[in-house]
Amino acid sequence: MFSGSHNVSMVGNTFVDNSIISDNFMKEFLQQTLLGAEFDSSDRDPPPRCHPGTRLAIVQRCLDFIVQCHDERKLRWVFGAAGVGKSAIMQIIAEKALDGVFLGASVFLSVNGRRDGTKTIVTIAYQLAVNREPYRRYVWNEITRDPSILRKSLSVHFKNFIVEPSIHWHLFNRSDRFLIIIDGLDECDNPLVQLELLELISDFCITYPTSPIVWIIASRPEPHITSFFERAEVQSVYTKEEIEIDSDQACEDVQRYLRDELKKIQLAYPTLRHKREWPSQLEFTKIATAAGGLFAYASTVARYI
């Protein structure tokens, strides 16, 4: 019956021609996502990155969490004020290669056109489909069966694109870790959608603690987000990482960044290159004191100079 057939697989009771999936389906699927949200998108090039030698402890703690997290805690909340470098830290984590850990998806929300939180799970599903062929076949089957699924609610998306394939179809190897990063949750244009995403993810972690999926969510500590993580029923499923503005380590990191950037400026201009001290220690201290632990302030000053 199947003599000579090739590039065909089974999903449920359906035969799937994989060439059709790759040539047509994925192009159409892409248009339903948050375009440019992935960590290596040209829309974010150059992406924010931690300055060499800075944020080492925070990055390492997050990497340790990914590898070592127990079944009870598969969610990490990274939070801090605007400008402390959350996205830069998430970028470094997304780029890291860890044994037995696969970057399933990264969604970098932004006020610059990537604010529709209702597309978050579809965006995650698309990236998982790109990286995992069994998952790609599964999603093709689901959307072909019911094309309207892409227009349904977040809860339906989560059930069909996260719960069903990972728990009931076992499309992810349980001995591996699949990391999903959502950066800038507070940039989502609807606080109710922000909370719904948190509800869906935390409920998933509570109900399926042995799932191979690990979540890292970064945001500002907005009151409604902070209140969510303070709920008693959520306490047991997550760990948290606060990026403090005025900690000694944060200020030291910003000063290291400022010294390196100002040295580049000095070497770039002949009028400054031959000065014995530029800027003066007093001028540097004023800038560093004003910046504190805020990389956004320091980088703005360096660009201005």
Side-chain angles (χ1 to χ4, degrees):
M1 177 178 178
F2 300 108
S3 176
S5 63
H6 63 282
N7 208 28
V8 176
S9 57
M10 283 284 292
V11 178
N13 296 319
T14 304
F15 289 103
V16 178
D17 182 339
N18 293 326
S19 65
I20 294 176
I21 294 177
S22 60
D23 291 345
N24 301 314
F25 169 71
M26 292 299 286
K27 292 178 182 178
E28 297 174 3
F29 192 11
L30 174 63
Q31 299 308 311
Q32 306 302 316
T33 69
L34 287 166
L35 298 176
E38 62 273 22
F39 81 98
D40 55 357
S41 168
S42 62
D43 289 4
R44 302 180 60 251
D45 189 37
R49 286 193 178 91
C50 299
H51 188 71
T54 66
R55 300 308 199 200
L56 298 179
I58 292 175
V59 169
Q60 189 59 53
R61 285 195 295 269
C62 289
L63 296 177
D64 290 343
F65 159 78
I66 296 167
V67 175
Q68 302 171 5
C69 62
H70 300 295
D71 289 343
E72 299 81 23
R73 298 179 186 270
K74 292 283 182 64
L75 168 62
R76 190 171 187 83
W77 179 37
V78 179
F79 65 98
V84 296
K86 298 183 294 297
S87 294
I89 292 170
M90 292 300 102
Q91 181 72 27
I92 294 296
I93 293 170
E95 293 174 351
K96 285 287 184 182
L98 299 172
D99 290 340
V101 176
F102 300 91
L103 179 61
S106 57
V107 180
F108 285 79
L109 294 160
S110 170
V111 294
N112 300 320
R114 299 189 301 275
R115 302 190 67 188
D116 187 355
T118 63
K119 293 184 176 182
T120 302
I121 302 304
V122 171
T123 303
I124 291 170
Y126 174 82
Q127 293 181 36
L128 285 169
V130 169
N131 296 323
R132 311 293 295 181
E133 184 178 343
Y135 185 90
R136 182 162 64 249
R137 295 196 298 266
Y138 165 83
V139 171
W140 179 88
N141 192 50
E142 288 295 297
I143 296 178
T144 301
R145 180 178 57 82
D146 179 12
S148 72
I149 192 172
L150 294 173
R151 300 180 61 83
K152 293 187 177 180
S153 67
L154 264 178
S155 61
V156 172
H157 290 169
F158 201 91
K159 177 179 181 294
N160 284 272
F161 296 142
I162 303 295
V163 178
E164 291 292 332
S166 64
I167 304 302
H168 301 140
W169 285 90
H170 306 294
L171 296 184
F172 305 128
N173 191 336
R174 289 183 178 274
S175 64
D176 295 323
R177 292 287 170 89
F178 292 86
L179 173 63
I180 296 178
I181 295 173
I182 301 177
D183 177 71
L185 179 66
D186 55 283
E187 304 283 9
C188 170
D189 57 4
N190 189 334
L192 294 179
V193 173
Q194 297 171 24
L195 290 175
E196 185 176 4
L197 281 167
L198 290 175
E199 289 271 10
L200 290 167
I201 293 169
S202 61
D203 286 349
F204 178 79
C205 292
I206 292 170
T207 308
Y208 308 106
T210 61
S211 161
I213 299 177
V214 177
W215 307 79
I216 296 184
I217 296 175
S219 75
R220 300 179 191 179
E222 301 292 358
H224 62 289
I225 296 177
T226 300
S227 295
F228 175 87
F229 280 108
E230 288 175 348
R231 295 181 188 177
E233 65 272 21
V234 179
Q235 294 288 314
S236 63
V237 300
Y238 84 99
T239 61
K240 64 183 179 180
E241 178 76 50
E242 181 178 5
I243 307 173
E244 298 177 332
I245 296 178
D246 295 324
S247 69
D248 290 343
Q249 187 60 61
C251 293
E252 288 173 13
D253 285 347
V254 169
Q255 288 178 33
R256 178 193 292 267
Y257 167 81
L258 277 171
R259 290 187 191 281
D260 290 349
E261 291 300 303
L262 292 174
K263 176 57 69 176
K264 289 179 185 177
I265 294 172
Q266 183 181 20
L267 294 176
Y269 292 91
T271 55
L272 301 177
R273 194 180 305 150
H274 302 296
K275 286 183 177 289
R276 188 165 61 97
E277 183 185 56
W278 183 89
S280 69
Q281 186 57 45
L282 177 60
E283 290 169 333
F284 180 83
T285 300
K286 286 182 178 180
I287 296 172
T289 301
L294 279 175
F295 273 92
Y297 187 102
S299 64
T300 301
V301 169
R303 288 198 303 271
Y304 176 76
I305 294 173

